Amino acid sequence: MPDKRKVLFLCTANSARSLMAEAILRDMAGDQFDVASAGTHPENPHPLALECISNAGMDTNGLRSKPLSTLLDEHWDYVITLCDKAAQECQAVCEPAQRIAWDFPDPVPTNRPAAFALVMKELRERISLFVMVHQKAVGRAAHYPPVTVFKALGDENRLAIMLMIRQEEELCVCELTEALDASQPSISRYLAQLREQGLLEDERRGQWVYYRLHPLLPAWILKLLQDTASNNPDFLRPFNQRLAAMPDRPARMDCA
């Protein structure tokens, strides 16, 4: 049986969100992933977080808050931050793990069971999608809920990225930054969102990371992109013009 991939959830206190995420993924796909969580400034597990986990029928045994420093020497395939502060503080940890940035509200300040339950529900939905995209089952068709797809494409910048990548087959961050006339952090955020939804996959070659359409995209999504591009040439024109005028554009032959 192939080795399970390792996932580390990070947030500031490791007292609620990351503990809930750890429990959810272990319960949902413990046969595929080894899961842990940690905090940049850990505090004791919040009683309402543990109660929420227990009420969902999941085991709380072994769930404890841990400092990130105790896990830095381990290999991780995925490092998922659950708040902006942790994402900023952990930009260079656990290399070369794939880094995924999510941002969920902290329920601790409210001290309300309903707030914990809502975050638990939202974490379950996001983690379910993560499992769907990254599952190891060979030959299993990925499921792309239409609402999720249209929500992802409902943003002008994310739509432009998808159409440009479809047209060019693959693009790197610097090319998309030039084409969309946007900052590198913004482009990276859009790409991360599209990758999390299973619409894109990435590959590092040398100093560049290239993005392409995910090979499991169903025919209806591919046709949607094709029809959108064919029937809206004016939408893509400025992006194509800026990309064509890009100086020192990375050469594909240099990246193989």
Side-chain angles (χ1 to χ4, degrees):
M1 179 178 178
D3 291 337
K4 293 192 287 187
R5 286 165 291 176
K6 298 185 65 177
V7 178
L8 177 62
F9 289 105
L10 295 177
C11 65
T12 305
N14 191 209
S15 64
R17 290 165 292 184
S18 51
L19 289 179
M20 290 191 287
E22 177 184 350
I24 291 168
L25 181 55
R26 183 175 293 121
D27 180 72
M28 187 180 295
D31 59 331
Q32 297 184 50
F33 300 96
D34 277 328
V35 195
S37 66
T40 54
H41 303 90
E43 301 176 5
N44 290 329
H46 196 285
L48 287 177
L50 297 179
E51 179 181 320
C52 200
I53 294 168
S54 180
N55 288 343
M58 291 181 281
D59 191 4
T60 60
N61 291 331
L63 286 179
R64 59 185 181 85
S65 300
K66 302 172 290 298
L68 172 60
S69 59
T70 63
L71 300 174
L72 289 178
D73 292 334
E74 295 188 34
H75 167 79
W76 299 99
D77 296 292
Y78 305 96
V79 173
I80 303 177
T81 54
L82 300 177
C83 63
D84 285 341
K85 184 176 181 181
Q88 294 169 4
E89 293 178 346
C90 304
Q91 292 181 3
V93 302
C94 302
E95 296 286 358
Q98 179 175 329
R99 193 162 282 95
I100 299 173
W102 297 343
D103 187 29
F104 289 89
D106 185 3
V108 171
T110 70
N111 204 37
R112 294 174 57 245
F116 283 82
L118 178 59
V119 172
M120 183 88 166
K121 174 180 177 292
E122 293 174 344
L123 280 168
R124 184 186 290 276
E125 292 172 351
R126 184 70 65 89
I127 290 170
S128 177
L129 186 60
F130 170 85
V131 171
M132 182 270 293
V133 172
H134 298 278
Q135 62 190 351
K136 282 190 171 181
V138 178
R140 186 190 303 175
H143 176 57
Y144 288 85
V147 172
T148 300
V149 173
F150 282 102
K151 186 180 294 185
L153 299 181
D155 175 85
E156 178 179 351
N157 292 297
R158 291 196 295 264
L159 176 61
I161 287 172
M162 289 292 292
L163 295 179
M164 291 292 295
I165 289 176
R166 174 195 167 275
Q167 171 186 281
E168 300 292 324
E169 294 189 356
E170 62 178 17
L171 289 169
C172 68
V173 174
C174 66
E175 291 171 310
L176 289 165
T177 298
E178 188 76 20
L180 273 68
D181 191 24
S183 67
Q184 185 271 327
S186 294
I187 294 297
S188 294
R189 184 173 67 254
Y190 297 138
L191 288 167
Q193 292 167 344
L194 291 167
R195 187 179 60 194
E196 288 171 24
Q197 302 301 327
L199 298 172
L200 295 178
E201 68 172 8
D202 61 348
E203 178 186 359
R204 177 175 289 278
R205 299 190 216 128
Q207 64 176 314
W208 306 110
V209 177
Y210 285 91
Y211 291 81
R212 65 177 69 89
L213 298 184
H214 198 285
L216 294 181
L217 286 184
W220 72 267
I221 296 181
L222 296 175
K223 187 175 188 305
L224 174 66
L225 296 174
Q226 177 183 346
D227 290 348
T228 301
S230 299
N231 290 285
N232 297 276
D234 290 342
F235 177 72
L236 280 176
R237 185 170 293 115
F239 306 121
N240 285 327
Q241 290 173 343
R242 285 192 289 264
L243 182 61
M246 178 181 179
D248 302 320
R249 185 176 174 184
R252 294 297 183 271
M253 69 181 68
D254 296 335
C255 305

